[in-house]
């Protein structure tokens, strides 16, 4: 049975009012939809742009019922929304992605087991949920990284370990919470694929991004990724296979490791638009946020053609000092697009915005992006 299209002027709801919710709101309103944001922060970046901002907790029954009563569909900007809230909404209205898909991405243990169960490669891992699990043989997984199963992101909740003793100490340091011990591998690079799926017949991917990190936080995304075409094709194929296996509806980010021998492994997934897909706003025919609107409204994905090579640079709170950074240096350049997220307080490591550099070839885009990033970092 075909799901009816949800058309402009309908009210769309989103759980979360951060920068992803803000960019979703901008895309939805440009397409003629109205938006309700549920976020407990009165100064949330998306709340100030939305038609309605419900300033309540994500598990507030009254707030959830308000979404049911006023919205045609609901999505989320982050995976750590309370599962019961997702299930409450899903029982009463269209919710994309599904609560079941979000639950997989909320927990590294579930995530890795699901991906490997779908026949896709992941880094060798051990599950450590209780003290008795520390007695298992760890030799083949060391040196490794101990990662907390839930609520870890941008390098948080991760400790590098070399010995079983260090694993025990790291597990205690993380509050003896369920963790995954993941073997450290020799990486050539990391790439990511953004999938958009409305149905098994309506599914597409964006061009593959090559990602560089600093201190566990995405620093630069380079598109098209500078990897051989067969590797990019394989990454897209793996992402599509996973989305089909999950019966996923929405925008799904799939991060992959490219090992020294060109083996591809899936690192993690995000059931939403992703930082590495921000380049799509300026460099593609359709942005990842328009795709998010389209899938929740039961519309087919838009064309993902890359209009120009691009390098996207994250702007962290580190570059804010006594005054605003030198935005005129970016805004005076015709091939540079600046996006600021409207956050009131700049903090070290906090994502405050990004900029895209578009050029005729990817190396030129990257070189200019690095130069501009250094200029902003060094400016007085």
């Amino acid at each position: 049975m075909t799901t009816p299209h949800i058309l402009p002027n309908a009210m769309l709801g989103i759980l979360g009012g951060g920068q992803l919710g803000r960019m979703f709101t901008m895309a939805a309103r440009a397409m003629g939809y109205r938006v309700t944001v549920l976020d407990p922060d009165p100064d949330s970046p998306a709340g100030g742009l939305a038609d309605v901002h419900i300033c309540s907790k994500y598990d507030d029954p009254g707030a959830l019922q308000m979404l049911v009563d006023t919205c045609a569909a609901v999505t989320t900007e982050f995976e750590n929304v309370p599962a019961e809230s997702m299930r409450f909404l899903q029982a009463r209205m269209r919710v994309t992605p599904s609560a079941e898909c979000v639950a997989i991405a909320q927990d590294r243990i579930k995530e890795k087991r699901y991906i490997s169960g779908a026949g896709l490669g992941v880094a060798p891992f051990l599950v450590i949920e209780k003290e008795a699990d520390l007695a298992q043989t760890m030799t083949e997984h060391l040196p490794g990284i101990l990662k907390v199963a839930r609520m870890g992101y941008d390098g948080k909740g991760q400790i590098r370990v070399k010995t079983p003793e260090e694993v025990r100490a790291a597990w205690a340091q993380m509050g003896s919470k369920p963790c995954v011990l993941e073997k450290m591998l020799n990486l050539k690079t990391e790439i990511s694929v953004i999938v958009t799926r409305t149905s098994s017949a309506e599914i597409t991917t964006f061009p593959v991004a090559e990602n560089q990190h600093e201190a566990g936080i995405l620093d630069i995304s380079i598109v098209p990724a500078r990897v051989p075409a067969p590797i990019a094709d394989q990454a897209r194929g793996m992402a599509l296979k996973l989305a089909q296996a999950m019966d996923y509806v929405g925008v799904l980010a799939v991060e992959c490791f490219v090992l020294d021998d060109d083996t591809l492994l899936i690192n993690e997934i995000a059931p939403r638009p992703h930082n590495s897909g921000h380049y799509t706003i300026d460099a593609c025919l359709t942005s990842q946020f328009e795709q998010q609107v389209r899938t929740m409204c039961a519309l087919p994905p838009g064309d993902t053609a890359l209009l120009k090579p691009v390098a996207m640079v994250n702007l962290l709170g580190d570059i804010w000092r006594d005054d605003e950074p030198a935005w005129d240096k970016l805004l005076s350049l015709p091939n540079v697009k600046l996006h600021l997220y409207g956050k009131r307080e700049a903090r070290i490591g906090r994502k405050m915005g990004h900029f895209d550099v578009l050029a005729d070839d990817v190396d030129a885009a990257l070189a200019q992006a690095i130069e501009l990033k250094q200029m902003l970092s060094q400016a007085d």
Side-chain angles (χ1 to χ4, degrees), residues 2-15:
T2 303
T3 304
H5 295 163
I6 298 171
L7 299 177
N9 203 41
M11 181 72 85
L12 305 179
I14 184 166
L15 302 173

Side-chain angles (χ1 to χ4, degrees), residues 37-265:
V37 168
L38 172 58
D39 191 292
D41 180 3
D43 298 321
S44 71
L49 297 183
D51 296 88
V52 178
H53 176 199
I54 304 173
C55 190
S56 299
K57 294 181 178 180
Y58 298 116
D59 58 358
D60 181 329
L64 295 173
Q65 188 60 49
M66 192 180 300
L67 290 176
V68 173
D69 293 340
T70 62
C71 295
V74 167
T75 189
T76 180
E77 72 145 12
F78 70 119
E79 51 268 39
N80 291 315
V81 61
E84 283 305 313
S85 297
M86 291 287 288
R87 283 192 277 268
F88 175 89
L89 294 170
Q90 189 169 290
R92 294 161 176 82
M93 64 191 306
R94 179 172 173 83
V95 174
T96 60
S98 70
E100 293 75 20
C101 288
V102 173
I104 292 169
Q106 284 181 337
D107 188 299
R108 289 187 192 275
I109 298 170
K110 289 182 180 179
E111 180 183 72
K112 288 186 177 296
R113 285 173 172 167
Y114 192 94
I115 294 169
S116 57
L120 297 164
V122 297
F125 69 96
L126 286 177
V127 173
I128 300 176
E129 296 180 287
K130 54 189 183 300
E131 190 168 358
D133 294 332
L134 294 169
Q136 61 190 312
T137 302
M138 302 180 190
T139 308
E140 293 183 1
H141 295 81
L142 294 171
I145 306 175
L146 190 69
K147 300 180 178 181
V148 68
R150 299 178 70 91
M151 302 298 288
Y153 62 96
D154 286 345
K156 298 179 178 69
Q158 301 186 14
I159 301 176
R160 295 192 176 197
V161 289
K162 296 179 180 178
T163 65
E165 291 72 26
E166 289 184 2
V167 174
R168 294 186 188 96
W171 188 65
Q173 186 178 331
M174 289 204 230
S176 303
K177 296 176 181 177
C179 290
V180 169
L181 174 61
E182 185 179 292
K183 182 178 178 61
M184 288 187 66
L185 302 168
N186 294 321
L187 304 184
K188 186 177 290 184
T189 190
E190 182 193 287
I191 59 178
S192 58
V193 184
I194 310 291
V195 181
T196 309
R197 184 179 184 275
T198 302
S199 68
S200 59
E202 297 175 321
I203 184 168
T204 189
T205 66
F206 283 100
V208 177
E210 173 189 349
N211 302 317
Q212 299 177 356
H213 294 78
E214 282 191 6
I217 302 175
L218 181 65
D219 182 34
I220 300 177
S221 287
I222 306 151
V223 187
R226 298 169 301 170
V227 298
I231 291 179
D233 290 342
Q234 184 185 353
R236 281 193 292 267
M238 291 169 69
L240 290 168
K241 181 178 179 179
L242 182 59
Q244 297 282 32
M246 296 172 72
D247 194 20
Y248 192 89
V249 176
V251 174
L252 175 70
V254 181
E255 295 182 4
C256 296
F257 291 146
V258 183
L259 305 188
D260 280 348
D261 63 358
D262 286 341
T263 297
L264 265 182
L265 300 175

Side-chain angles (χ1 to χ4, degrees), residues 15-38:
L15 302 173
Q19 65 264 22
L20 298 180
R22 178 185 178 94
M23 288 180 271
F24 165 84
T25 299
M26 295 168 73
R29 294 194 66 174
M31 296 168 70
Y33 293 92
R34 295 174 296 133
V35 177
T36 294
V37 168
L38 172 58

Side-chain angles (χ1 to χ4, degrees), residues 214-341:
E214 282 191 6
I217 302 175
L218 181 65
D219 182 34
I220 300 177
S221 287
I222 306 151
V223 187
R226 298 169 301 170
V227 298
I231 291 179
D233 290 342
Q234 184 185 353
R236 281 193 292 267
M238 291 169 69
L240 290 168
K241 181 178 179 179
L242 182 59
Q244 297 282 32
M246 296 172 72
D247 194 20
Y248 192 89
V249 176
V251 174
L252 175 70
V254 181
E255 295 182 4
C256 296
F257 291 146
V258 183
L259 305 188
D260 280 348
D261 63 358
D262 286 341
T263 297
L264 265 182
L265 300 175
I266 294 180
N267 174 33
E268 61 184 20
I269 62 175
R272 51 171 171 77
H274 191 256
N275 199 169
S276 68
H278 289 349
Y279 76 88
T280 62
I281 297 172
D282 298 312
C284 291
L285 200 59
T286 308
S287 77
Q288 64 172 343
F289 299 100
E290 180 180 337
Q291 301 285 50
Q292 188 179 20
V293 175
R294 284 175 162 273
T295 55
M296 73 184 297
C297 293
L299 297 167
D303 191 329
T304 59
L306 186 69
L307 303 176
K308 264 197 168 184
V310 59
M312 186 281 299
V313 178
N314 257 339
L315 295 169
L316 303 183
D318 309 50
I319 65 172
W320 269 253
R321 295 180 179 86
D322 295 332
D323 205 350
E324 288 283 313
W327 300 132
D328 58 317
K329 302 293 175 94
L330 298 182
L331 295 172
S332 63
L333 298 169
N335 66 319
V336 177
K337 303 293 184 180
L338 175 64
H339 300 263
L340 297 176
Y341 301 153

